[in-house]
Structures are given as C-alpha cells and as structure tokens.
Amino acid sequence: MDHPPLEQIWQAILSEAELNMSKANFTTWFKNSFIFDYQNDILTIGVPNAFTQAWFENKFSKDITQIFCKVTGNKLKEIKYVIKTKPKETQNTYNFLAPDPNEQKKDKINKITPTKDESLCLAAGLNAKYTFETFIVGKHNELAHAACWAAIRQPGETYNPLFIYGGVGLGKTHLLQAIGHEMLRSNKKVLYVTSEKFTNDYVDAVYHGQGNTFKSVYRNVDLLLVDDIQFMAGKDGTQQEFFYTFDQLHRANKQIVITSDRSPRNMKAVEARLITRFEWGMVADIGQPDLETRIAILNSKCQQKNFPLDPSVIQYIATNINNNIRELEGALNRIIGFCQFHNCQPDLSITKQILKDFFIAIQANNLSTPQKILEAVANFYNLNLSEITGSSRKKELVIPRQIAMYLLRTKINASFPAIGQELGGRDHTTAMHACTKIEQEIRNGSKIRQDIEQIAQSITSVY
Ligand code: ADP
Ligand code: MG
C-alpha cells in the first residue's frame, strides 16, 4: 500500500522530543529508532533492542501519540514496537550527536559499511551534517566564524586555543564540528569529544589501568575539539588530565578548540591555570541571531530538505522564534511533516494553525518564574539555591543575591516585598537597594553586566 511519508513524521516527532531532554539522552534513545509501519491507525516503531523498547513503552508512548496527532491531525489507536535495524537510507537524516566510534564498532547488528569519508568522520566523532556548507553566517556569529577559519588556515598558531562560547542552540557544536570536517579534508588527525566523553574516557582509563592508551588517543591529534567544557566544572581529576593534554598539544603546536556556555572568566569550579590557558589564544562569543539571519537559516534548511516554503511562512516562523536555532528547525520539521502527510502546500493560515501548540510549548518553557531565575543565578555562580536564599553573609554571596533580586525585578516585574520574600524573607529595602546597586554597576560598564546577559540568556534557553 501507499505509505504516507513516515520519515517526515518521525522527523517532527524527533524535533519535539529533542526539546524535552538532554541531547545525549535524546541521541541514546532515538538514534536507531524509526517508524516501521503505519496502518489502520496503528503506528509501529522500530527500535534497536529490548532495552530501548521498554524505555519507549514506559516513558514515551503517550508523548509520541500526542505529537503524532498534532503533526498529522489524525488519531492513533495504538503504538506497537518491533526490534529492527534501522534501514540504511534513514540513518543520517537527523542531527544526532556524533556516535561514539567505539560503540559503533561494538554494534555488530547495526552493520553499516561506510564510505571512506564517512568512516573517517565517524572515527573523528563528527556528524556529517555539521559542515561550513550548511552554516549560515550572520552578525551574531561572524566573529566566531572568522576565528574558526583563522585557526583552520594556521592551525596551532595565533588562535590557539580558540574558545567559543554562547547560549543553547546557537550553533556552537555545529561550528566546532565544521572545523573538524575542514581539517579532515586536509588529512589532519581530528578528534571531537564532548567534555563528558573526555571525562568518561579518563575515568574508564584510570579504572582499567589504561592511562597510556588514553594518552595516546588524546595526545596524538592535530586538532582536538572539546564541546561544552563547562561540564568539567568540579571534576578535579579530569581537569588535571585535561590540563596535561592541553599543554602537550599546545607545546606541539596542535590546534585546540573549546566551546562553553560561558566565557572563561565566568567559569566556576575550574582550575585557575586552565582558565588562564583558555584565554591564551582567542575568545569569541556567539550571540542571538537577528531576524535576517533567522530567515536565511530557515531558507537554507528548506533548501537542504528540498521543501521550499512561501516567504510569508518563513517570515512568520522567524519572527516568532527568536532565541534558539534548534527551535527554528523544530518548527520547520513540524510544518514539513504535516504537509507531506496531508499532501498540501502550507500557506500562512495552515502554518499558524500547525505551530500554535509549538509556540505555546516554547513559551511555557521560556517563561521566567522566580524559581527559574534563582536557579539560573545559582547555577551560573556555582552555588546552591539555599546559599542564595539563606542568611549567610559571606562576601561571595552578596553579588549573586543582588543580581537575583535585580532579575526578579526586571524580568518578571516582581514587587520589592515579593522579591524580599523569594530571597528567604529579606526586607523590601534590601531588595530596593540591590536593584539600585546593580543598575549602577551596569551603567558603569562593570563585568556584572556580561554576567547578567549570560544568566538572562540561560533562563530563556530551552534544553
Ligand atoms: P549549540 O551547540 O550552541 O547548543 P548547535 O550547534 O547544536 O547549538 O545548533 C542547534 C541547531 O541549529 C543545529 O541543528 C544546527 O545545525 C543549527 N544551527 C545553529 N546555528 C546555525 C547556523 N548559523 N546556520 C545553520 N544552522 C545552524
Ligand atoms: Mg552543543
């Protein structure tokens, strides 16, 4: 029988699922799953093993049903699962984290015979989709983009290390991996890892007494790419090992590129000697894309997916989603899924209808609450929530507390007595004083201003 374009529906489901969990988690569960069949209102999902099946049944059936209905406008009677290997043609259509090459080797069931290039990418930890060809440059990322090219042209020289920072979903991983692809093309030895993978590898090596193997993997590359270094915070042993790795590579003029959600000087629970080194080369930030860039990104994604959309539709999505490029793609996938399923061309009114729930979900996620603000401040300064709201008069708590009060005032317009209350029952005059003080600091162009911008960004970022 004629199947509806199941792959597109799956893409839409993936986009939604991705917004609700960490990228690593998302990759684990969804990477090798796919829609196997859809008939008589019964959806059958192919999963790689019984473990994943159990996870889907327990945790995700309800969500998939809901998303499916939203995307297709049809009802579902039931979801079934079958253990199946994902067909090769659907392997690489979504931006999953690059798989761990060792896992791939172990995974005999999922036997793919990659081309030489693919296998090189895989070994380097790179996802084929994240290249410069698919990367749009705008004002928000032009500095970072230029710095990447400078590092590629003269690796290990002026821009070493290159440190790129910015909020969630703004293209750090894409850019980092693009450098990797580019240097692979000139036959350099490339290794991309998340800082979590570096940590796990290190812990495993220590546990199995394989320190030398670890060193030979990490210290014999021309380019080391470390994504989301902020997750190394508080892990002293790993930081020490990273310090040695860094120094060895740096001394040998090998290029190192690092990404983070914040600037080096704002990193907490990271050794001072590492922070100093992060600032040795070039530090570049990625900001929020402006409207023109968001439109350009959407147009480029439409082209890649071979699904042209009317400019009014593109304009509508780009106007309504403004701080996370991953969400832009999610909205696009939702529309494409719907239209392919119903075999229709989306006009503006269909688009509005399709995206209504999507926007509500994003807004709910982005909505600032006192709790979210306090958590973001605590997280940024590496403090416990109870330290911010507690009564300790320690000096290092003063500024974070004042910033929390300032953000409560400016972000959600809380009254001074309410702010005092949120901060563990402080007097309203304390809240007033804090806001005046922070406003002054901002006017004087102090570093606090940057901190506040980054905290504010982290409140509106969706994981
Ligand atoms: P981050 O690592 O900063 O959280 P990612 O690099 O994972 O963000 O980007 C999120 C999504 O947005 C990815 O699918 C990526 O391809 C896309 N994206 C981000 N920036 C751009 C850009 N400038 N051009 C095209 N796509 C982009
Ligand atoms: Mg990333």
Side-chain angles (χ1 to χ4, degrees):
M1 73 164 266
D2 251 3
H3 279 302
L6 300 177
E7 180 56 21
Q8 287 304 330
I9 298 170
W10 191 237
Q11 298 273 326
I13 291 176
L14 293 176
S15 318
E16 295 272 323
E18 190 178 11
L19 295 177
N20 294 322
M21 63 188 81
S22 79
K23 192 137 187 168
N25 217 338
F26 172 69
T27 300
T28 306
W29 300 116
F30 285 88
K31 190 177 65 189
N32 292 315
S33 306
F34 60 102
I35 297 186
F36 177 69
D37 190 26
Y38 170 64
Q39 280 188 55
N40 306 327
D41 295 337
I42 297 176
L43 182 71
T44 309
I45 295 180
V47 289
N49 49 47
F51 191 47
T52 310
Q53 175 174 353
W55 188 88
F56 267 94
E57 279 169 350
N58 291 329
K59 304 248 188 212
F60 221 72
S61 277
K62 227 172 89 194
D63 289 348
I64 292 183
T65 308
Q66 264 180 8
I67 299 169
F68 184 91
C69 296
K70 273 195 274 179
V71 170
T72 63
N74 284 19
K75 291 261 173 290
L76 257 195
K77 261 199 268 175
E78 192 186 347
I79 299 188
K80 288 184 177 164
Y81 297 91
V82 282
I83 297 175
K84 289 264 175 224
T85 304
K86 189 172 172 178
K88 187 169 185 323
E89 66 271 19
T90 61
Q91 295 276 345
N92 287 325
T93 44
Y94 203 82
N95 289 349
F96 288 110
L97 278 183
D100 177 345
N102 298 323
E103 286 301 316
Q104 282 287 325
K105 267 180 230 144
K106 275 187 258 160
D107 191 357
K108 294 223 176 64
I109 316 163
N110 195 5
K111 216 167 176 202
I112 331 164
T113 39
T115 64
K116 185 164 170 269
D117 281 351
E118 266 177 333
S119 70
L120 273 179
C121 290
L122 211 61
L126 299 176
N127 181 324
K129 282 206 150 184
Y130 292 139
T131 62
F132 281 114
E133 286 78 16
T134 56
F135 191 80
I136 302 289
V137 183
K139 280 200 198 75
H140 73 293
N141 60 15
E142 63 185 348
L143 175 70
H145 178 260
C148 289
W149 275 103
I152 292 165
R153 295 205 176 95
Q154 297 187 305
E157 290 183 26
T158 325
Y159 292 167
N160 200 21
L162 170 58
F163 189 102
I164 301 167
Y165 72 94
V168 174
L170 294 180
K172 299 183 297 296
T173 298
H174 191 142
L175 204 46
L176 190 64
Q177 295 225 344
I179 304 176
H181 283 293
E182 212 49 46
M183 300 240 332
L184 262 191
R185 285 174 195 167
S186 43
N187 293 324
K188 295 282 196 273
K189 211 163 162 193
V190 173
L191 182 59
Y192 164 93
V193 283
T194 59
S195 70
E196 282 147 320
K197 167 126 174 58
F198 184 91
T199 305
N200 292 341
D201 283 359
Y202 171 65
V203 172
D204 278 356
V206 171
Y207 185 76
H208 293 112
Q210 289 180 333
N212 286 336
T213 317
F214 177 87
K215 283 183 189 140
S216 79
V217 170
Y218 280 95
R219 299 189 189 182
N220 285 314
V221 294
D222 299 308
L223 171 67
L224 180 63
L225 305 164
V226 184
D227 207 357
D228 288 324
I229 194 97
Q230 73 273 9
F231 293 125
M232 250 186 229
K235 295 175 182 145
D236 297 346
T238 307
Q239 283 183 32
Q240 191 172 7
E241 184 56 39
F242 185 64
F243 174 81
Y244 294 131
T245 308
F246 182 103
D247 263 12
Q248 169 116 0
L249 289 172
H250 196 271
R251 240 180 293 136
N253 292 330
K254 305 299 188 189
Q255 180 69 40
I256 302 155
V257 188
I258 296 166
T259 70
S260 167
D261 69 344
R262 64 193 71 185
S263 66
R265 68 167 75 172
N266 281 325
M267 305 217 49
K268 300 286 163 354
V270 172
E271 284 187 40
R273 58 182 183 170
L274 269 179
I275 291 179
T276 314
R277 276 161 178 74
F278 293 162
E279 291 184 324
W280 270 355
M282 166 84 182
V283 177
D285 75 323
I286 298 187
Q288 312 263 345
D290 58 22
L291 180 65
E292 287 75 18
T293 311
R294 299 200 296 276
I295 290 175
I297 291 174
L298 282 172
N299 278 326
S300 142
K301 303 273 175 201
C302 283
Q303 214 176 3
Q304 280 166 46
K305 293 170 199 282
N306 207 6
F307 197 93
L309 282 177
D310 192 77
S312 64
V313 172
I314 298 269
Q315 176 86 24
Y316 178 76
I317 307 173
T319 313
N320 283 283
I321 299 181
N322 48 28
N323 55 20
N324 185 325
I325 296 168
R326 195 170 296 143
E327 288 173 355
L328 275 184
E329 260 192 288
L332 193 62
N333 285 336
R334 170 78 75 88
I335 293 170
I336 295 178
F338 183 94
C339 291
Q340 297 209 329
F341 189 87
H342 293 285
N343 203 13
C344 63
Q345 238 346 80
D347 56 21
L348 193 55
S349 83
I350 293 183
T351 302
K352 284 183 180 169
Q353 213 182 321
I354 300 171
L355 291 185
K356 217 163 83 192
D357 301 330
F358 192 80
F359 290 147
I360 292 172
I362 290 176
Q363 271 160 11
N365 241 326
N366 287 348
L367 208 60
S368 301
T369 60
Q371 182 72 10
K372 271 194 187 172
I373 292 175
L374 293 178
E375 274 169 7
V377 175
N379 185 24
F380 186 80
Y381 289 104
N382 234 19
L383 300 166
N384 291 325
L385 203 53
S386 58
E387 289 177 286
I388 302 248
T389 55
S391 57
S392 158
R393 289 166 172 269
K394 271 199 219 148
K395 218 173 127 215
E396 62 268 26
L397 297 177
V398 175
I399 297 286
R401 243 178 228 150
Q402 290 182 335
I403 289 180
M405 294 194 236
Y406 171 81
L407 285 171
L408 285 170
R409 182 77 184 162
T410 52
K411 282 264 155 203
I412 56 174
N413 208 10
S415 70
F416 289 119
I419 295 174
Q421 210 52 44
E422 289 293 342
L423 271 284
R426 293 181 150 73
D427 195 75
H428 74 279
T429 52
T430 312
M432 283 167 76
H433 169 73
C435 291
T436 319
K437 169 86 193 309
I438 297 297
E439 275 160 15
Q440 238 166 29
E441 295 279 350
I442 292 176
R443 267 200 306 277
N444 297 341
S446 99
K447 158 182 172 305
I448 286 179
R449 178 184 175 157
Q450 275 177 23
D451 288 10
I452 292 176
E453 274 167 17
Q454 282 189 47
I455 297 167
Q457 221 181 64
S458 77
I459 300 171
T460 50
S461 298
V462 178
Y463 259 97

